Amino acid sequence: MFCDIRLTARCARASLTILLASTAAFGLSNNALAAYDFSKLGTAIETLSPETVDDWEKKAKAGDAMAQNIMGLAYKCGMGVKQDHAASIKWFHRAAEQGEADAQFNLGRLYASEVDGMYKNGRAAPANDAQAFKWYRLSAEQGHTQAQVRLAQLFVKGGGEVARDQVQAYKWMSLAAASGEPTAAKAIADYAGRMKPEQVQQAQLMAQDWKRRQSAR
């Protein structure tokens, strides 16, 4: 997720600060949402360098899911290794299949037909919104706020195997907004403006149910 800013420690910490900002929006506190632990990811990324990449790769080959995701980012960005998009997606897949939420998010971005930043060039896989939807949803269910935003956007867009669903879109965007994700905070009012009051209420109830299920884990 941080490759667009070259994985520098300063930018990583700035991004994490935004992502973890607490908010009382929608009556849901940051602690109540069981959000993905971006601080752990940020700490790992800050240690990635040409001097440490071999150690990270050893951990990845031994089956460490976080290390596999870090190696996916390293190969995607060319950080400490020669840029290799095929190797990147291989490591993201290995981590994602173990349930690593940020790797799932990264796969979603790799497969999505609408891409930005570092994902515009050097695709290792053809665009496939059904695959993007699969990985975004798995990541979103684990509280990854950026995945929740992307999932909401796919629900708004619809098309192909992804059914358009404004209620689901509002649910996921509201959860991301409640965790302090700035993109979500800006989008949620626009979503509500396109919906009937009963649809907004339904989406809010679904978000509350998701929160309860997360808290019970």
Side-chain angles (χ1 to χ4, degrees), residues 11 34 53 59 70 86 115 145 164 193 203:
C11 290
V53 70
K59 292 178 183 178
I70 294 297
V115 292
T145 53
R164 190 175 185 277

Side-chain angles (χ1 to χ4, degrees), residues 177-199:
S179 286
E181 219 298 319
T183 304
K186 294 176 182 178
I188 196 65
D190 180 58
Y191 280 22
R194 306 178 202 169
M195 299 166 67
K196 297 177 181 178
E198 57 267 29
Q199 289 179 306

Side-chain angles (χ1 to χ4, degrees), residues 93-110:
H93 264 289
R94 289 178 67 173
E97 287 160 5
Q98 291 199 72
E100 179 20 69
D102 192 63
Q104 292 168 344
F105 167 73
N106 285 318
L107 279 182
R109 289 188 73 184
L110 284 169

Side-chain angles (χ1 to χ4, degrees), residues 164-204:
R164 190 175 185 277
D165 191 326
Q166 194 71 39
V167 172
Q168 283 284 348
Y170 187 101
K171 166 195 166 181
W172 289 111
M173 196 65 81
S174 69
L175 288 167
S179 286
E181 219 298 319
T183 304
K186 294 176 182 178
I188 196 65
D190 180 58
Y191 280 22
R194 306 178 202 169
M195 299 166 67
K196 297 177 181 178
E198 57 267 29
Q199 289 179 306
V200 173
Q201 183 179 25
Q202 180 186 1
Q204 290 172 338

Side-chain angles (χ1 to χ4, degrees), residues 69-85:
N69 185 46
I70 294 297
M71 288 310 303
L73 290 167
Y75 278 108
K76 184 66 184 173
C77 302
M79 296 294 293
V81 293
K82 183 178 180 181
Q83 191 173 45
D84 186 333
H85 300 298

Side-chain angles (χ1 to χ4, degrees), residues 22 28-35 215:
S22 178
L28 299 173
S29 71
N30 202 37
N31 291 336
L33 288 173
S215 299

Side-chain angles (χ1 to χ4, degrees), residues 65-168:
M66 173 65 78
Q68 290 168 349
N69 185 46
I70 294 297
M71 288 310 303
L73 290 167
Y75 278 108
K76 184 66 184 173
C77 302
M79 296 294 293
V81 293
K82 183 178 180 181
Q83 191 173 45
D84 186 333
H85 300 298
S88 175
I89 198 170
K90 178 194 77 171
W91 283 119
F92 284 146
H93 264 289
R94 289 178 67 173
E97 287 160 5
Q98 291 199 72
E100 179 20 69
D102 192 63
Q104 292 168 344
F105 167 73
N106 285 318
L107 279 182
R109 289 188 73 184
L110 284 169
Y111 282 112
S113 58
E114 294 185 8
V115 292
D116 54 18
M118 67 173 180
Y119 293 87
K120 284 185 178 180
N121 301 312
R123 300 189 70 140
N128 185 328
D129 278 342
Q131 279 293 307
F133 179 85
K134 168 189 171 181
W135 293 113
Y136 282 150
R137 184 153 205 165
L138 287 169
S139 182
E141 287 286 358
Q142 296 192 70
H144 194 295
T145 53
Q146 293 187 28
Q148 290 170 344
V149 168
R150 301 282 178 153
L151 182 60
Q153 291 169 341
L154 280 180
F155 272 123
V156 168
K157 174 186 173 184
E161 297 179 39
V162 182
R164 190 175 185 277
D165 191 326
Q166 194 71 39
V167 172
Q168 283 284 348

